[in-house]
Amino acid sequence: MLSGRVNTFTEAAIADSEQDANGALTELDKGLRSGKVGEQCESIVRFPRLFEKYPFPILINASFLKLADVFRVGNNFLRLCVLRVCQQSEKHLDKVYMVDEFVRRVYSVIHSNDPIARALTLRILGAVACLIPERQQVHHSIRTSLDSHDNVEVEAGIYAATQFAAQSKSFAISMCNKIADMIQGQATPANMKLQLIPVLQHMHHDTSTAAMVRNLCTELLPKYPTEDFVLVTLNTLTQLAAATLVDIPSQVQLLIRYISSDPRKKVKSKCLEHLYELAKPGAHLWPSEALNSTLDIALETTSPKLLSAALSVVEVLSESPQWCHEHHHCQSKVRLLCVKNCHSPHPAIAAQAIHILTQIICYCYKENIKRVGTDEVISSLETIILLLTISDEKHPYQLKVVLRCAVRLAEIDKLYCERFVELLESRLGSVDPDCTILICEALGAIAGIQPDALLPHLGDILNHIQHEHETTVSSTNDKSTNIVVLLCTLVFQTLGGYDWNEETLQILKKVSGSNQLWANYRIGRAAVRYGHHGLAEYVFSNLTEQVSYEHWHFWLVCLQEMSQAEDMLVTPNHKPKNIVDRLDYALLHYNKAIAALKAASTPSHNLQFQGEYMHIRCEFLQCLLLLIHTCNILCIVPPPAIASTIAQSTRDDLQRHGYITNQMRKCVKEFKACAELYCKLYQTAFDADCSTLENLQILQQMCVMLEQCVESVCVSNAATRQIIQFDLKDAKLESRQLLNACTSASRLCQSIADENLGLTITHKHVDLLKAIVEIFVNAPLPIPRFFFQVLQCTTLKLAITPQPRVLGECISVQPGSQLAVKVEGVIQHGSKPGLFRKVDGVIVTVTSQLQPNTKIKEIITDSKNIETSCVLTQTVAPHKDFFSAQFLLAFPRGGLYILAIDASVVDEDGNKWNTGPKSTLTVKVPDEPKLQPISMPGMAGNANVILMTEDSLFVRKK
């Protein structure tokens, strides 16, 4: 479903059009030059959207200069709009390269007689502090503004001082004494002191300044004991300690002292929040007595709010392995605190206590430490799950926390899976829809660990599906529809690797026949993800005529044909058992699916991954069919009479078998090529989830396994390679059936490798190869999630300089000169950036290749001795999603050159992903004419002299 976003302003001028950056900037410039203030404001507020759409330095630099002009000559309202643009476009500020000109235009307003104009100038200078951190005249203006008699200007100076103190070490050191005097001075109002104290949290550029600021703030605490001053000062000290790290122990002790001695509840609550902030970066820096004091506070307090805040601090500390190791024994204060509160009448406190105990137990399992009290923790966990699902009050967040604890305990010990499944399944029919959805998700997570745990409860799950389906039909409730989809997914997880009975199949067909269309699509999508293609084909066939767009229709047709092809490969009783017929039938439907997918593609949704995935699957099935036909050659085509002679002449003993040897070697090449295709597809799937990448790896290894097996039969001197071993322990549920097939096939491959001596091809070898093909064909293919859903979207957008004046023309370069190519780019993200992996670097590759000219043979002949191709590569680190690379290209010969610019990304682990994009430019270098020697009387024969007509007068006659 497509979602739209409503904007305040009409953006038909730039948002919906496909005009280039210059055209969009020209339109906004017209608005800036308008005589109406409203049109000027409308143009100004559109600039942030323009920066997001075209985030390149040349446009951003020009835009900020235009905005600086408006700020210089406009009224205060226009200046306020420009200020908001600068604050919203913080990540694009470093692309302004004419900083001096921008500052000159803005800074001219600081001399205005209007204090509001001066205040706006100070604020915009503070907003661009990252560009001018060491600009001394700006520092002087900020100091002067703090002595102003106008409160608006002083507040603007405080804002600018805060921004510059975070960027400039020299400014922070020079302003420290000034701000300290203002805070301690009697003439400064109290409300202004509250604004000045937070400036000190940025003064951590060196140890001496940070120590001086800390001493100042600690001296202020007893002098200003009011609640507002204490809260602001403690917050400043906490932020300063989190930045320096060395002051964390002393700050923790200070906060605990205030919790113990200060009677005000708000101060206690804020101190616990600050302890929570300090526990994240420096749990290992906490002194042991501070932790004991925090636990004592939690044990002694009677306030549920303070207890919950203290448990939040302990939750963060429990993420540290060192902390868990020190407090894992049953008599520790942490255990006593959690056991005391795991049955609390407050669900939030009970959930936090259970979470802490779960962290400790998981650590003990991981480190093989003796576990004490695990059964009591699980009993408490079951109790709180029952209480949260029985209670009339809804506590969805707390229920989610305890269900995650149940899933984590099931992961470390699969013996707990059946226990939790029995509990959660019993609550399905008696809780509200929100809780039911959470329980279904938890059951799905446990089924991913141990799917057989759900098998005894399959009948109850089917009853719940029928009940929820009746509720959906009668009330059209979206939550009930979501529950039906989740319950169907549980059935798919449970029946993975099992045959469907008729009753289960009829129930799911009935549900998908009268359900909402989007819910049916989700059911079909879940079915193909877990390899149940027969039901998926039924669901998709009913949806193909129910959509209003042609592209959606062809997409559903593609899914239907693909499901039909995969369903035919499996061999139930009602399908043909001949493997050749099944492969032919599957290839026929896969070709139809690929044709439908091409019709479903649009420029905005090119479906490239889906097309490549089905194409490679089709190639793999074709290779399997070729291998089957090759194996049949041993019985059908006898070796020719001259086979022995060929074997002796080629010194290849396997040639005496005749045609089958060469065909098997051809199969080896085909499987190797198929494995390389899977590898290339893997390298392009930067945004894919882990299950999708695992799916591609398994399919690639299947090709490699078949390549090794066939090679060991048909190549006498084949290198001895170890058969690939597969591990089911950490595999995703979707991939387990494929891995089971690979494990079975690897045993047969090992028997081939053990028995074959590379001297003959026997019927046993052929039978084993056919058995391996049968195993792979019968294994249901789980379609990966990335085939349907892109949860993380990362694209690169390039701008290449120079560009031809007219699109499609060549760039002319003079002979003997070089061409400077500048590649600028921006990384664009979707709604969840960095969900699976992040971009750590961008590899830009420029390839220059001379195109041969058939008309001039001399150039072709000469170019054989000169390198006419060039490949330059540069790895750049993106800064705020922007990167830039420059190349200098030389052209040794005249002619037509094709420049190919390719970009790929590097993740945080150093892996390269060929994501693209690719761009091409054409460069034309004129041929340099060769000077012909001209003979003249009295001159050297090889002199390059042009003979003029009047030169004949000076030629001496013989």
Side-chain angles (χ1 to χ4, degrees):
M1 302 298 289
L2 298 177
S3 60
R5 183 175 59 180
V6 180
N7 294 319
T8 307
F9 296 98
T10 304
E11 298 185 357
I14 61 171
D16 297 329
S17 62
E18 294 297 331
Q19 55 188 344
D20 60 354
N22 293 329
L25 182 59
T26 302
E27 285 199 20
L28 293 183
D29 188 40
K30 291 179 182 177
L32 295 179
R33 297 177 183 274
S34 174
K36 299 179 181 179
V37 178
E39 293 182 1
Q40 289 178 306
C41 294
E42 187 176 359
S43 296
I44 292 172
V45 298
R46 286 178 177 174
F47 272 96
R49 180 65 182 272
L50 180 68
F51 297 157
E52 293 296 329
K53 192 174 183 181
Y54 304 105
F56 299 109
I58 187 169
L59 179 136
I60 292 174
N61 181 75
S63 300
F64 271 97
L65 292 181
K66 293 180 184 296
L67 291 174
D69 276 330
V70 174
F71 187 90
R72 178 172 55 88
V73 300
N75 55 35
N76 286 340
F77 183 68
L78 293 177
R79 289 168 180 157
L80 179 62
C81 294
V82 174
L83 171 62
R84 292 290 180 260
V85 171
C86 293
Q87 291 174 337
Q88 293 175 15
S89 308
E90 181 183 358
K91 72 175 185 177
H92 300 295
L93 289 175
D94 53 353
K95 299 171 189 174
V96 180
Y97 49 85
M98 298 181 68
V99 178
D100 293 337
E101 183 62 24
F102 174 78
V103 174
R104 184 186 65 80
R105 298 179 187 185
V106 171
Y107 192 75
S108 62
V109 188
I110 200 70
H111 306 294
S112 172
N113 293 327
D114 183 6
I116 304 297
R118 297 198 300 269
L120 290 170
T121 306
L122 290 169
R123 287 186 177 275
I124 199 172
L125 290 172
V128 298
C130 59
L131 293 179
I132 49 172
E134 305 298 338
R135 197 66 59 99
Q136 294 298 322
Q137 60 180 7
V138 179
H139 295 179
H140 175 72
S141 298
I142 295 173
R143 293 192 197 94
T144 306
S145 67
L146 295 179
D147 297 327
S148 174
H149 298 287
D150 187 86
N151 289 335
V152 175
E153 187 175 0
V154 175
E155 291 178 358
I158 294 173
Y159 168 79
T162 304
Q163 301 299 318
F164 273 88
Q167 300 289 337
S168 172
K169 176 182 177 180
S170 61
F171 179 80
I173 295 174
S174 63
M175 287 296 294
C176 188
N177 293 326
K178 171 75 174 175
I179 293 177
D181 294 340
M182 292 182 67
I183 293 173
Q184 295 174 333
Q186 298 295 326
T188 308
N191 62 335
M192 196 166 292
K193 290 182 179 181
L194 291 175
Q195 297 179 39
L196 285 167
I197 292 175
V199 180
L200 299 174
Q201 70 185 11
H202 299 292
M203 298 186 179
H204 49 74
H205 298 281
D206 59 1
T207 55
S208 59
T209 306
M212 183 177 65
V213 170
R214 183 166 185 82
N215 291 332
L216 171 63
C217 290
T218 50
E219 291 174 1
L220 288 176
L221 285 171
K223 293 180 181 179
Y224 299 91
T226 60
E227 186 176 275
D228 291 339
F229 271 94
V230 171
L231 293 178
V232 171
T233 307
L234 289 177
N235 180 66
T236 301
L237 286 170
T238 301
Q239 300 300 325
L240 191 66
T244 58
L245 296 180
V246 294
D247 294 325
I248 285 182
S250 57
Q251 179 62 17
V252 168
Q253 293 174 345
L254 175 64
L255 292 172
I256 291 175
R257 187 168 70 248
Y258 263 87
I259 295 173
S260 304
S261 60
D262 200 307
R264 292 169 290 192
K265 290 185 178 180
K266 192 171 183 180
V267 174
K268 291 177 180 289
S269 178
K270 284 294 181 181
C271 288
L272 287 171
E273 290 180 10
H274 294 326
L275 287 175
Y276 178 84
E277 295 175 7
L278 292 176
K280 288 183 177 179
H284 58 286
L285 299 174
W286 276 47
S288 58
E289 61 273 11
L291 177 59
N292 291 328
S293 301
T294 305
L295 296 173
D296 292 337
I297 292 169
L299 288 168
E300 295 171 1
T301 185
T302 57
S303 171
K305 185 177 181 181
L306 293 180
L307 177 58
S308 178
L311 287 173
S312 298
V313 176
V314 180
E315 273 187 292
V316 178
L317 293 173
S318 65
E319 297 176 1
S320 170
Q322 178 185 355
W323 186 91
C324 289
H325 184 78
E326 294 174 355
H327 299 87
H328 73 276
H329 51 87
C330 59
Q331 296 302 321
S332 65
K333 283 187 178 181
V334 176
R335 285 245 180 172
L336 295 176
L337 173 66
C338 294
V339 170
K340 176 184 177 182
N341 293 285
C342 63
H343 296 289
S344 172
H346 301 280
I349 295 175
Q352 287 175 308
I354 291 293
H355 182 226
I356 295 169
L357 291 174
T358 303
Q359 290 275 88
I360 296 174
I361 291 173
C362 291
Y363 170 79
C364 293
Y365 268 94
K366 184 178 179 181
E367 300 296 330
N368 293 323
I369 300 174
K370 184 179 180 181
R371 298 168 291 278
V372 181
T374 305
D375 293 335
E376 290 79 1
V377 173
I378 294 177
S379 299
S380 302
L381 180 59
E382 291 175 334
T383 303
I384 190 174
I385 291 174
L386 284 173
L387 291 174
L388 290 175
T389 53
I390 292 174
S391 175
D392 295 333
E393 298 180 4
K394 294 183 179 180
H395 302 283
Y397 178 75
Q398 285 74 26
L399 181 60
K400 185 181 293 187
V401 170
V402 296
L403 289 176
R404 285 178 179 172
C405 293
V407 173
R408 291 191 62 187
L409 290 173
E411 285 179 347
I412 61 175
D413 194 343
K414 293 183 179 180
L415 296 176
Y416 299 134
C417 289
E418 295 181 2
R419 187 172 176 178
F420 287 125
V421 165
E422 186 174 356
L423 170 65
L424 296 177
E425 192 278 328
S426 65
R427 305 303 304 150
L428 276 179
S430 55
V431 294
D432 60 276
D434 293 327
C435 292
T436 303
I437 291 173
L438 293 176
I439 291 174
C440 289
E441 291 175 351
L443 285 172
I446 296 175
I449 303 168
Q450 187 74 22
D452 292 340
L454 284 168
L455 200 57
H457 307 279
L458 183 60
D460 296 330
I461 294 175
L462 292 174
N463 292 333
H464 291 310
I465 291 176
Q466 289 179 305
H467 173 71
E468 293 294 341
H469 176 61
E470 293 172 359
T471 306
T472 304
V473 173
S474 59
S475 63
T476 63
N477 190 352
D478 290 339
K479 292 182 179 178
S480 297
T481 304
N482 194 17
I483 292 171
V484 170
V485 175
L486 291 173
L487 291 173
C488 290
T489 306
L490 291 179
V491 175
F492 298 146
Q493 290 179 312
T494 306
L495 293 179
Y498 293 95
D499 293 333
W500 286 64
N501 58 24
E502 191 63 27
E503 181 184 359
T504 304
L505 188 62
Q506 291 303 321
I507 290 175
L508 293 186
K509 284 185 177 181
K510 179 182 176 182
V511 169
S512 61
S514 57
N515 208 355
Q516 294 181 7
L517 299 180
W518 175 244
N520 288 345
Y521 176 79
R522 292 172 62 193
I523 291 173
R525 184 177 67 187
V528 296
R529 281 194 59 199
Y530 292 99
H532 304 289
H533 297 281
L535 180 65
E537 190 269 334
Y538 173 81
V539 173
F540 291 135
S541 63
N542 293 332
L543 291 175
T544 53
E545 304 300 330
Q546 302 291 329
V547 292
S548 55
Y549 289 100
E550 185 180 23
H551 299 294
W552 296 354
H553 166 77
F554 284 113
W555 168 247
L556 293 171
V557 170
C558 167
L559 297 180
Q560 176 193 351
E561 295 290 342
M562 179 186 66
S563 301
Q564 195 169 355
E566 290 295 337
D567 183 49
M568 181 54 64
L569 292 175
V570 189
T571 57
N573 295 327
H574 63 280
K575 296 177 184 176
K577 294 187 177 180
N578 189 348
I579 190 172
V580 175
D581 295 339
R582 284 185 283 139
L583 286 171
D584 285 333
Y585 188 88
L587 287 169
L588 174 65
H589 284 278
Y590 254 116
N591 287 323
K592 291 181 180 179
I594 293 173
L597 185 68
K598 292 179 180 178
S601 301
T602 62
S604 57
H605 300 280
N606 55 12
L607 304 177
Q608 182 177 356
F609 175 83
Q610 292 84 346
E612 288 294 327
Y613 187 86
M614 288 199 299
H615 171 71
I616 302 173
R617 176 65 175 176
C618 195
E619 290 290 329
F620 178 67
L621 297 179
Q622 189 72 47
C623 292
L624 294 180
L625 186 60
L626 177 62
L627 181 57
I628 291 293
H629 289 310
T630 302
C631 291
N632 292 335
I633 291 175
L634 187 63
C635 299
I636 299 173
V637 182
I642 60 171
S644 300
T645 306
I646 296 175
Q648 291 179 359
S649 62
T650 58
R651 296 182 180 180
D652 188 354
D653 292 337
L654 290 173
Q655 287 292 343
R656 68 176 183 271
H657 296 286
Y659 185 60
I660 188 174
T661 303
N662 295 327
Q663 283 299 109
M664 279 195 170
R665 291 173 181 176
K666 182 180 178 182
C667 290
V668 171
K669 295 180 181 178
E670 294 293 335
F671 281 116
K672 183 177 181 180
C674 194
E676 291 175 354
L677 289 176
Y678 273 119
C679 181
K680 291 179 180 179
L681 182 62
Y682 182 98
Q683 292 176 345
T684 61
F686 175 79
D687 294 321
D689 55 286
C690 298
S691 298
T692 300
L693 297 181
E694 184 181 73
N695 181 282
L696 294 174
Q697 285 180 324
I698 295 172
L699 294 174
Q700 180 194 3
Q701 294 304 320
M702 288 168 59
C703 298
V704 174
M705 183 188 299
L706 282 167
E707 175 198 348
Q708 293 181 8
C709 292
V710 180
E711 186 178 19
S712 63
V713 172
C714 66
V715 179
S716 57
N717 56 351
T720 303
R721 291 183 289 181
Q722 186 177 2
I723 301 298
I724 302 169
Q725 301 297 325
F726 297 92
D727 186 12
L728 289 170
K729 183 179 179 181
D730 299 325
K732 306 293 181 182
L733 177 60
E734 303 96 297
S735 304
R736 289 183 186 177
Q737 294 186 60
L738 276 182
L739 284 178
N740 287 329
C742 291
T743 304
S744 301
S746 64
R747 299 193 196 101
L748 299 180
C749 291
Q750 189 64 49
S751 63
I752 293 176
D754 293 340
E755 294 183 8
N756 185 41
L757 300 177
L759 300 177
T760 183
I761 300 176
T762 65
H763 288 279
K764 186 173 182 180
H765 293 151
V766 169
D767 293 339
L768 288 174
L769 290 177
K770 286 183 178 181
I772 293 173
V773 173
E774 186 73 35
I775 290 174
F776 284 149
V777 169
N778 285 329
L781 175 69
I783 305 300
R785 184 173 195 167
F786 193 61
F787 193 92
F788 298 96
Q789 290 178 299
V790 181
L791 300 180
Q792 170 186 317
C793 183
T794 307
T795 56
L796 303 183
K797 189 175 182 180
L798 300 181
I800 302 168
T801 307
Q803 285 288 334
R805 295 181 179 178
V806 180
L807 186 63
E809 288 189 353
C810 303
I811 299 173
S812 298
V813 177
Q814 294 300 319
S817 61
Q818 295 176 320
L819 177 66
V821 177
K822 185 176 183 181
V823 181
E824 297 173 312
V826 63
I827 305 171
Q828 297 177 330
H829 302 281
S831 58
K832 299 178 181 179
L835 180 62
F836 302 118
R837 54 199 64 87
K838 299 178 182 178
V839 179
D840 190 60
V842 180
I843 301 176
V844 183
T845 304
V846 177
T847 304
S848 170
Q849 180 66 48
L850 175 64
Q851 300 301 302
N853 188 351
T854 56
K855 296 182 179 179
I856 307 176
K857 296 182 179 179
E858 294 183 3
I859 296 180
I860 299 176
T861 305
D862 295 342
S863 63
K864 293 180 181 178
N865 301 324
I866 298 178
E867 187 66 35
T868 56
S869 63
C870 177
V871 179
L872 301 178
T873 302
Q874 187 174 350
T875 303
V876 293
H879 177 66
K880 293 181 179 179
D881 294 334
F882 177 80
F883 59 91
S884 177
Q886 296 184 1
F887 302 89
L888 193 62
L889 299 174
F891 305 99
R893 290 283 182 185
L896 205 62
Y897 288 82
I898 300 296
L899 300 186
I901 298 96
D902 184 16
S904 55
V905 301
V906 179
D907 62 14
E908 62 269 24
D909 296 328
N911 301 317
K912 180 183 176 182
W913 302 82
N914 299 325
T915 57
K918 297 181 180 179
S919 301
T920 57
L921 293 176
T922 305
V923 177
K924 185 177 182 181
V925 181
D927 296 327
E928 198 170 3
K930 293 184 178 180
L931 296 177
Q932 298 293 333
I934 302 175
S935 299
M936 291 184 62
M939 304 292 292
N942 59 351
N944 295 326
V945 180
I946 301 175
L947 185 62
M948 309 298 292
T949 54
E950 54 271 14
D951 291 341
S952 60
L953 301 175
F954 302 96
V955 177
R956 181 179 297 177
K957 295 181 181 180
K958 293 183 181 179

